Amino acid sequence: MSPQELYQRDREWHPPAYAKDYKTSVSRSPRYALLSLEGSDSELTGPTFDHNDIDPIDNDLIRNYAKSGDPIGERIIVHGRVLDENGRAVPNTLVEIWQANAGGRYRHKKDTYLAPIDPNFGGCGRTLTDENGYYVFRTVKPGAYPWRNWVNNWRPAHIHVSVFGTAFAQRLITQMYFEGDPLIARCPIVNTIPDQRAIDQLVAALDLNATIPLDSIAYKFDIALRGRRSTFFENRPEGN
Amino acid sequence: MVQKLDYLKECASQTAGPYVHIGLAPGDAGFDIYRAELGRDITGPNAKGTRITVTGMVTDGTGAPVKDVLIEVWQANSEGIYPGTGEVEDGFRGWGRVTPDFETGVFTFETVKPGPVAAHCGAMAAPHLNLWLVSRGINVGLNTRMYFGDEDNANANAADPVLNMVEQAHRRATLIASADGTTYRFDIRLQGDGETVFFDV
């Protein structure tokens, strides 16, 4: 018995492979059409993870790389649920994030931006959603930073998010933006997404209810993965 | 007016960017943070079957290596069983992460050769690795497969339902690795001459 198939991915909602204003995509985008496959075990199954794979501190970016104190920056909580398109929680799934520090600098040997590395900030975290699909990270708000596309492009503050779900075909990497950031509308990477509603879905809302008073401000970011079909009636077998 | 369909939309993908390693392979970014990085070992120590090495390069439309790509591998064990669908060897996750050498763009990883698995609608698929590529400039992760050029059952690739769906028969070769003993060469071309077949799965 194979796992249930997924809803077709809405390619009008996702960015196209070729987006001329995001220049790096020009030579890294396939020119031929993707070949659409019906799901088999190869796509409808996927890896699983458990609490032996990660440590409790892994979701605390304020502490998971701290050497001599806390990192510089606005202390924030990022929390939300991983859901599927049916609105059902996706429990026990791995969520990984990475980001620049408060000055907009990444801890990466290829990042040469002049803003300084923060000795107490690694910039990555990971966690498993709980039985209700809930996740939480503590971190500092990343800074905006310049990047080479046009001469004067600035990335809005963002956190990269990687999620698994239960099928390899649900695998998703996206970016979370912050409510109120004027750079969002001006970013060629954001604007690879053709539908404004799909952009809005990637903007985390300021969530005062989840703040820790006198300590950390909070943003809520729900992540939706592809949904699985229900089989009310069996498909006719091969040859239909 | 009609009733509202209360489905959510899948979040739109965004590029993994040039610093994907920080999140998914921090050792490659140049620092050590976790007790253990995930995906460094596809098979675990107890996997049965033929140990193989896969090596290759991802190139862009100009022919240049894509040095900042990250590839995820998902595969069945040597019996053709995906973890989660049946009994597999203790420690066999069937999943891993692969990054190329930043200087040369050549990637290499070790695994075991998977067995044949069920295809859609009950047919059998030839042994293959499922691959997912993300990087700067890739807006939505790209899915492809690697089949084996020296398949023991010579008809397995010829009968594979996915390979046979590739209408331009000469493009099927882009999904088949060439064998040299137990080392397989598999190059992935994102665009241009010999563009690899990618799937919407």
Side-chain angles (χ1 to χ4, degrees), chain B residues 155-166:
Chain B
N155 289 323
N157 287 339
D160 182 84
V162 166
L163 287 174
N164 283 319
M165 278 183 69
V166 181

Side-chain angles (χ1 to χ4, degrees), chain B residues 19-82:
Chain B
Y19 307 127
V20 60
H21 318 92
I22 296 171
L24 307 189
D28 290 345
F31 66 103
D32 182 29
I33 183 166
Y34 295 135
R35 170 168 48 87
E37 290 189 14
L38 296 170
R40 297 291 187 180
D41 179 2
I42 298 173
T43 63
N46 304 311
K48 302 189 202 91
T50 310
R51 297 267 161 188
I52 61 169
T53 301
V54 178
T55 186
M57 189 186 287
V58 180
T59 49
D60 70 12
T62 73
V66 178
K67 299 173 180 174
D68 49 12
V69 72
L70 182 140
I71 304 171
E72 289 193 2
V73 182
W74 173 238
Q75 67 166 97
N77 71 1
S78 61
E79 314 263 282
I81 300 168
Y82 283 102

Side-chain angles (χ1 to χ4, degrees), chain A residues 9-11 14 16 22 26-29 32 35 42-43 85 96 171 174-175 177 201 224 226 238, chain B residues 8-12 14-15 61 68 72 82 93 97 121 128 136-137 139 145 191 195 198 200-201:
Chain A
R9 184 164 259 164
D10 184 351
R11 295 278 171 180
H14 285 278
Y22 175 26
V26 172
S27 66
R28 293 184 170 193
S29 43
Y32 296 120
L35 179 61
S42 297
E43 297 80 29
E85 288 172 295
E96 296 163 292
R171 195 80 182 79
T174 188
Q175 300 182 26
Y177 303 99
Q201 190 185 5
R226 296 169 70 187
E238 283 179 273
Chain B
L8 302 177
K9 295 294 290 186
E10 182 192 16
C11 282
Q14 290 269 263
T15 178
D68 49 12
E72 289 193 2
Y82 283 102
R93 180 133 44 199
R97 285 176 169 154
C121 276
H128 62 272
R136 180 172 66 104
N139 289 327
R145 290 184 177 189
Q191 186 192 92
E195 182 177 305
F198 297 101
D200 188 19
V201 299

Side-chain angles (χ1 to χ4, degrees), chain B residues 76-98:
Chain B
N77 71 1
S78 61
E79 314 263 282
I81 300 168
Y82 283 102
T85 66
E87 189 97 357
V88 296
E89 299 90 333
D90 191 32
F92 183 88
R93 180 133 44 199
W95 170 83
R97 285 176 169 154
V98 179

Side-chain angles (χ1 to χ4, degrees), chain A residues 79-81 135 161 175-176 201-202 204 219-223:
Chain A
H79 76 120
R81 295 174 76 202
Y135 75 90
V161 182
Q175 300 182 26
M176 183 202 104
Q201 190 185 5
L202 299 184
Y219 289 87
K220 182 162 184 287
F221 187 63
D222 286 336
I223 302 160

Side-chain angles (χ1 to χ4, degrees), chain A residues 64-86:
Chain A
N64 69 8
Y65 197 77
K67 306 294 183 200
S68 57
D70 287 348
I72 298 290
E74 270 180 71
R75 298 161 65 88
I76 64 170
I77 305 282
V78 175
H79 76 120
R81 295 174 76 202
V82 179
L83 304 165
D84 69 15
E85 288 172 295
N86 296 309

